[in-house]
Amino acid sequence: MLRQVQKQMSLHSILYNKISENHILKKINYVVDFSFINKLLEDSYCKNFGRPAKEPEMMCKLLFLQHLYILSDEKVIEEANLNLGYMYFLGINPEDELPDKSLLSKFRTQRLEEATLDEIITEIVRQCVEKGIIGGTSVSVDATHIEANTIRKTPERLMKHLARKIIKTYEKENNQVLEEIPEVPKYKEIEDHTEAKAVMKDYLENVISKVKKNIRKDCSESIKTKETIEKAREIIEDPKFLNQKGVRSIIDEDARVGRKSKNQEFYGYKTEFMMTADERIITSVRTADGAYVDGTYADELIEQTLKSGMKIEEVYGDKAYFRKPILNSIEEIKAKAYIPVSESVYRIDESEFSYNKDSDEWECREGNITVKKKYYKIKGKSRPDREGYKYYFEPEQCKRCPKHDECAKKSARKILQIGLNTIEFYEISQYQKTEEYLEKYKKRASIEGKNAELKRFHGLYRARGYGLLSVSMQSKLAAIAVNIKRIAAIAASKFCIFTLNIKIFSQYYKFCLN
């Protein structure tokens, strides 16, 4: 059960006076009140029975310290037993005992939930808004990749491991050795990759068939073996598996192959976060597998940011976020999007064509103007319907054009076919060439620095555990850690300005008296 009364600080707490006022953990305590965590997690504890539990606030703070200084469970407990700054931040007496490292692990996996971390981030940001630490109305959004805590295996090797796991599970569950096991093919000697995959798939199917036959023969339930077989079937029957886009590890089944660029891949996860552009404080975080498409969680990121009480007037992002649904979501909250036009959705060559919105006409580079417009819709069987407009140039005018033969090679008819949103995107692209936009867009660069900080100094370059839930919690705890650093820095600068103003006023007052 949780303690009902707050502990009184002992005489030994006078040692905390030795901690410098500039210490990051002392400064953050002046700004953020973490006591809300106890209220947030009280329902996960029994209120009236059981021995007194360690306060959720203290346990969460241990996790914050762990990600702030990149420590293991064992190391953070060891350091917290010696470091006065850590003890002060945890809110304990210097002589108090800290929990065992195993309790910290249990708290993280059994008490703390992913949604709870979202609420903690939101409440910290809300307090910053309330106290004036956050005063800006601009946010940036971006995604960064996280390497999985395991290697990616080829489908052949993975099928070999799946077969071995089925055999071992059967033998352990039934306490007998499986006889007449098919010999593992030497797939590495097969030069043709496609053939090697087919050979190993046949081998795995043979193993499954053999094990199933033994289960029926022995009349055993073999529940765990059946579950292992079912999991193996689920993996190999996924069309993405043999194309090397599905599961690549038995240890971490959630990790996927993603792309850093056209020529560079990675294996793991992607974390997407929203951050205030001026103060550089993270307001919301979402994590997905490596194949995640940037911007899919944009609505959730915006919604969580608004929950903190922050007003959003400007949203910054890279080309990946230039999609109509995202632009609409930004428009709904009456904010302005500063996102470069993406060539993948806006397919007009502006060196060839320009648009006049007053007359609703397109003009080619030779001065020919469209004279007719028609709406079109093409129904797609395997892909979404395509719709838009066709603009027709005057045929005679095109015939007299010196570029007629060159254009005829590109299109037999003198038609400009555009998408439904092309005109809107054209107007956006024209604004993005102005000095005003180019100056504003410089704000987005700050999020790249935050990406680097999360990876280099808070361990987000690689997953600590396995599975999407574990990586998601790691990402959110890392976000809280960088927020603690940033909030402390802003609070210190504001305090310095306040102190400087007092000194100036004092000097001016003495001058007036003289």
Side-chain angles (χ1 to χ4, degrees):
M1 66 176 182
L2 289 177
R3 298 180 189 273
Q4 301 297 321
V5 183
Q6 188 175 2
K7 292 194 299 181
Q8 186 177 2
M9 300 304 283
S10 72
L11 182 64
H12 297 100
S13 297
I14 196 170
L15 291 170
Y16 292 148
N17 293 335
K18 294 176 70 67
I19 304 170
S20 169
E21 292 297 324
N22 291 326
H23 196 288
I24 180 176
L25 298 177
K26 207 162 191 178
K27 287 187 286 188
I28 193 66
N29 265 9
Y30 293 148
V31 181
V32 180
D33 179 9
F34 291 100
S35 62
F36 70 89
I37 295 174
N38 286 335
K39 184 73 175 173
L40 204 60
L41 288 166
E42 65 178 359
D43 290 338
S44 63
Y45 293 84
C46 180
K47 293 184 179 179
N48 302 313
F49 301 99
R51 60 182 180 181
K54 297 295 182 181
E55 294 85 347
E57 178 187 353
M58 185 192 72
M59 299 300 287
C60 281
K61 284 181 174 180
L62 279 168
L63 293 176
F64 301 161
L65 288 171
Q66 186 179 49
H67 285 78
L68 188 61
Y69 298 107
I70 320 181
L71 303 170
S72 64
D73 287 355
E74 184 178 5
K75 196 68 178 175
V76 74
I77 299 296
E78 182 184 324
E79 290 292 324
N81 273 313
L82 300 172
N83 193 309
L84 279 177
Y86 287 14
M87 295 176 192
Y88 176 83
F89 178 67
L90 294 172
I92 61 173
N93 296 313
E95 71 275 14
D96 289 345
E97 288 187 9
L98 284 167
D100 187 80
K101 61 177 182 179
S102 61
L103 189 60
L104 185 62
S105 177
K106 287 179 183 177
F107 175 79
R108 182 174 52 244
T109 56
Q110 298 176 17
R111 303 283 187 188
L112 194 62
E113 295 180 356
E114 190 181 6
T116 308
L117 289 173
D118 284 331
E119 293 181 69
I120 291 172
I121 292 171
T122 300
E123 176 59 22
I124 291 173
V125 175
R126 189 198 66 77
Q127 290 188 30
C128 290
V129 172
E130 190 179 77
K131 294 174 182 177
I133 298 294
I134 295 176
T137 56
S138 305
V139 294
S140 290
V141 61
D142 198 10
T144 186
H145 66 275
I146 304 170
E147 295 286 345
N149 193 16
T150 181
I151 62 169
R152 54 175 165 176
K153 299 179 174 68
T154 61
E156 302 96 295
R157 188 178 177 188
L158 191 60
M159 285 187 279
K160 173 187 170 183
H161 286 200
L162 285 170
R164 184 189 298 168
K165 187 176 182 181
I166 291 168
I167 294 167
K168 284 187 174 181
T169 305
Y170 172 81
E171 292 179 343
K172 185 178 180 181
E173 193 170 31
N174 293 278
N175 198 25
Q176 64 175 336
V177 177
L178 190 65
E179 298 178 355
E180 298 178 6
I181 302 171
E183 188 178 348
V184 181
K186 296 179 180 179
Y187 63 90
K188 291 182 180 179
E189 296 178 2
I190 303 172
E191 293 183 4
D192 187 352
H193 192 47
T194 305
E195 184 185 342
K197 287 189 283 188
V199 167
M200 288 307 296
K201 188 176 181 183
D202 289 340
Y203 165 70
L204 179 57
E205 294 281 4
N206 288 336
V207 170
I208 291 172
S209 177
K210 174 69 176 174
V211 172
K212 278 187 171 182
K213 186 178 178 181
N214 273 42
I215 290 172
R216 288 194 297 268
K217 183 180 177 181
D218 299 336
C219 299
S220 62
E221 292 185 2
S222 301
I223 297 171
K224 290 183 180 178
T225 307
K226 288 177 180 177
E227 287 177 357
T228 308
I229 290 172
E230 189 62 35
K231 191 66 186 177
R233 282 224 175 268
E234 184 183 322
I235 291 171
I236 62 174
E237 287 175 5
D238 181 359
K240 293 181 180 179
F241 173 67
L242 292 178
N243 292 328
Q244 303 188 155
K245 295 181 179 178
V247 176
R248 300 293 295 274
S249 169
I250 299 175
I251 298 173
D252 192 343
E253 295 180 11
D254 293 334
R256 292 291 183 274
V257 175
R259 302 197 74 85
K260 296 180 186 179
S261 62
K262 286 184 178 180
N263 303 317
Q264 195 175 9
E265 290 183 343
F266 74 96
Y267 176 62
Y269 299 87
K270 266 190 176 182
T271 283
E272 191 169 40
F273 62 95
M274 187 165 278
M275 178 192 84
T276 60
D278 298 311
E279 297 84 7
R280 304 195 298 283
I281 293 173
I282 295 172
T283 59
S284 51
V285 183
R286 290 292 179 275
T287 305
D289 62 59
Y292 172 79
V293 177
D294 294 7
T296 305
Y297 289 139
D299 287 348
E300 292 182 28
L301 294 169
I302 291 171
E303 184 181 353
Q304 187 182 341
T305 301
L306 292 172
K307 279 182 183 177
S308 66
M310 182 182 170
K311 187 179 179 183
I312 301 176
E313 293 181 354
E314 298 172 346
V315 179
Y316 295 84
D318 58 27
K319 290 181 179 181
Y321 295 90
F322 192 86
R323 299 205 299 275
K324 188 61 177 171
I326 297 175
L327 296 174
N328 288 343
S329 296
I330 295 170
E331 190 177 354
E332 281 176 16
I333 62 170
K334 297 180 180 178
K336 194 166 185 177
Y338 290 88
I339 303 171
V341 173
S342 172
E343 295 86 354
S344 62
V345 294
Y346 175 63
R347 298 173 181 173
I348 286 291
D349 185 353
E350 292 185 12
S351 65
E352 295 284 341
F353 303 100
S354 60
Y355 179 72
N356 187 323
K357 66 177 181 179
D358 297 322
S359 60
D360 190 17
E361 293 173 340
W362 287 89
E363 182 178 341
C364 77
R365 65 177 178 177
E366 297 299 321
N368 296 338
I369 298 173
T370 55
V371 293
K372 191 169 59 173
K373 168 187 173 184
K374 283 186 180 179
Y375 168 79
Y376 76 89
K377 185 173 183 179
I378 302 172
K379 291 186 177 180
K381 294 180 181 179
S382 59
R383 59 177 64 184
D385 295 347
R386 290 174 58 196
E387 54 184 325
Y389 299 99
K390 290 180 180 179
Y391 284 83
Y392 295 82
F393 290 94
E394 174 61 47
E396 293 299 322
Q397 192 179 24
C398 286
K399 284 180 183 179
R400 295 192 297 270
C401 177
K403 298 288 183 181
H404 174 266
D405 293 340
E406 185 182 329
C407 290
K409 292 178 183 178
K410 299 177 182 178
S411 175
R413 294 176 296 174
K414 312 303 178 288
I415 301 170
L416 176 62
Q417 185 172 306
I418 64 171
L420 203 60
N421 303 307
T422 300
I423 292 173
E424 180 186 347
F425 293 164
Y426 177 82
E427 292 177 7
I428 294 172
S429 74
Q430 297 309 298
Y431 169 67
Q432 290 181 0
K433 295 174 183 176
T434 63
E435 288 294 330
E436 179 191 358
Y437 172 84
L438 295 173
E439 187 63 32
K440 277 274 189 182
Y441 192 66
K442 289 179 181 178
K443 277 189 177 184
R444 190 206 160 266
S446 60
I447 204 164
E448 298 295 346
K450 189 63 67 175
N451 264 336
E453 183 183 359
L454 284 164
K455 288 186 172 187
R456 292 178 63 191
F457 304 115
H458 300 281
L460 208 59
Y461 65 94
R462 186 179 178 88
R464 283 188 168 211
Y466 308 109
L468 181 59
L469 178 60
S470 172
V471 179
S472 181
M473 293 184 74
Q474 177 187 345
S475 301
K476 289 173 183 180
L477 286 166
I480 293 170
V482 296
N483 278 354
I484 285 173
K485 284 170 59 179
R486 186 61 191 151
I487 291 165
I490 295 171
S493 64
K494 285 183 179 289
F495 176 75
C496 288
I497 292 169
F498 177 72
T499 306
L500 182 63
N501 287 339
I502 290 176
K503 286 181 179 178
I504 293 171
F505 178 77
S506 176
Q507 291 173 0
Y508 177 73
Y509 180 71
K510 287 179 181 178
F511 175 78
C512 291
L513 288 176
N514 293 333

